[in-house]
Amino acid sequence: MQELLQEQEIHGENQNSHNITGSSSNPFKIKITIDIKRPTTSGYTNDISMLVGGQTDGSIFANSEIDVKSGTIGRILGGSIGVDRTISGYPSNTFIGATKISVSGGTVGELYGASLGRQKSDVYFYGTIEINISGGTITQAIYGAGGGGTTGYHTSSTDPYKANYGYGVETYTKIKITGGYIDGNVYGGGYGYSEYLNYNTIANDGGALYGDSYIEISGGEVNGNIYGAGKGYSGYRQKTSLAQMIGETHIEISGTAIIKDVYGAGEGVRTTRI
């Protein structure tokens, strides 16, 4: 058995699967329901610190659903969170498939539809993203795409494996708000920042969305602004492709929704010239 393990695993890489779960013809099916009737936060801030729809190590073909009915969650990722591992000839931290996040109750800190960069700049998401908020509270921002990770296919993407894993995969973000309270901004795109990355480790297009975004708000309250695209980060302003979006934005506001300002594009960074 020990010899078999040594043959199949070198520095944390499975030599058969190359740390890839599922396939395009047989994606991994994920269904997560959070309905915590009694708080479990004794000594902790949240019932769940981070809820990840994808993987924390390796790539995955998946259809992921997250349904939050109650409880407190620090952060939700519809995609994966990266890890510092290089797999020669294969992607290390790529999510391919679809993710759907529904919040009808409880409290969520921060919500990302796609993946979050961590340790390295090789976090990529290809597929469709749907976020439905009908109740509960989001105490920070909602991002349709990822944080420090890149979402969607484009020839200018930094993903060296985009042609094999991203080409032809339909990618978009859809955010629908019919109720609840969001104490922050709503972005159709991503965020060009992750606290797990620095200037040298974040990709030049970290937080980018290569695809369309759709935001529909007919109820609830957003104590913040609506942006069709993403959010830049002033600390990395030299990286001009951070949180860029190549695609169309669609925003529809109706009903009893309470919001602040609405912007068709993204939130850039402020530069002072002297």
Side-chain angles (χ1 to χ4, degrees):
M1 177 61 73
Q2 182 63 33
E3 293 178 356
L4 178 61
L5 290 175
Q6 290 177 347
E7 290 177 1
Q8 292 185 345
E9 189 169 337
I10 300 176
H11 302 301
E13 176 188 348
N14 186 294
Q15 297 299 292
N16 292 326
S17 69
H18 305 286
N19 290 26
I20 298 176
T21 301
S23 66
S24 58
S25 60
N26 188 24
F28 198 66
K29 296 175 178 61
I30 301 166
K31 173 68 175 180
I32 303 171
T33 300
I34 306 300
D35 191 6
I36 299 174
K37 302 298 185 182
R38 181 177 300 173
T40 59
T41 55
S42 177
Y44 299 93
T45 304
N46 303 295
D47 296 310
I48 300 171
S49 178
M50 182 182 296
L51 180 58
V52 181
Q55 294 202 149
T56 59
D57 184 354
S59 296
I60 186 170
F61 291 85
N63 293 326
S64 179
E65 291 187 31
I66 296 174
D67 187 6
V68 178
K69 299 181 178 180
S70 62
T72 59
I73 303 171
R75 174 182 284 166
I76 294 179
L77 308 179
S80 297
I81 182 168
V83 70
D84 186 7
R85 189 187 309 284
T86 299
I87 301 176
S88 180
Y90 296 88
S92 300
N93 297 290
T94 297
F95 183 109
I96 310 104
T99 188
K100 181 178 180 180
I101 302 170
S102 300
V103 179
S104 58
T107 300
V108 177
E110 192 174 37
L111 194 157
Y112 291 90
S115 299
L116 185 69
R118 180 178 63 166
Q119 299 175 341
K120 290 182 63 179
S121 61
D122 59 353
V123 178
Y124 300 95
F125 183 105
Y126 299 103
T128 60
I129 298 165
E130 294 185 21
I131 299 171
N132 298 308
I133 310 296
S134 60
T137 299
I138 311 295
T139 63
Q140 299 179 54
I142 295 176
Y143 299 92
T150 304
T151 304
Y153 171 87
H154 192 269
T155 54
S156 64
S157 167
T158 55
D159 183 6
Y161 301 103
K162 57 182 177 284
N164 294 330
Y165 293 88
Y167 180 77
V169 179
E170 182 183 23
T171 298
Y172 60 75
T173 70
K174 289 185 178 180
I175 302 173
K176 185 175 182 179
I177 300 172
T178 59
Y181 179 75
I182 296 93
D183 195 15
N185 296 333
V186 176
Y187 301 89
Y191 187 16
Y193 174 81
S194 166
E195 70 268 35
Y196 301 113
L197 298 172
N198 57 42
Y199 182 85
N200 294 319
T201 56
I202 193 169
N204 288 331
D205 59 351
L209 170 61
Y210 301 119
D212 298 340
S213 73
Y214 301 82
I215 300 175
E216 179 182 341
I217 305 176
S218 60
E221 182 177 355
V222 179
N223 187 31
N225 301 326
I226 309 299
Y227 295 89
K231 178 182 179 180
Y233 179 63
S234 60
Y236 304 153
R237 58 169 54 94
Q238 293 86 352
K239 294 197 172 189
T240 55
S241 295
L242 285 179
Q244 71 175 344
M245 178 178 173
I246 299 178
E248 298 180 356
T249 66
H250 305 260
I251 301 174
E252 180 178 339
I253 312 294
S254 64
T256 59
I258 301 173
I259 59 175
K260 290 188 176 180
D261 298 329
V262 178
Y263 301 91
E267 182 181 8
V269 298
R270 182 177 300 175
T271 300
T272 302
R273 297 182 182 276
I274 300 176

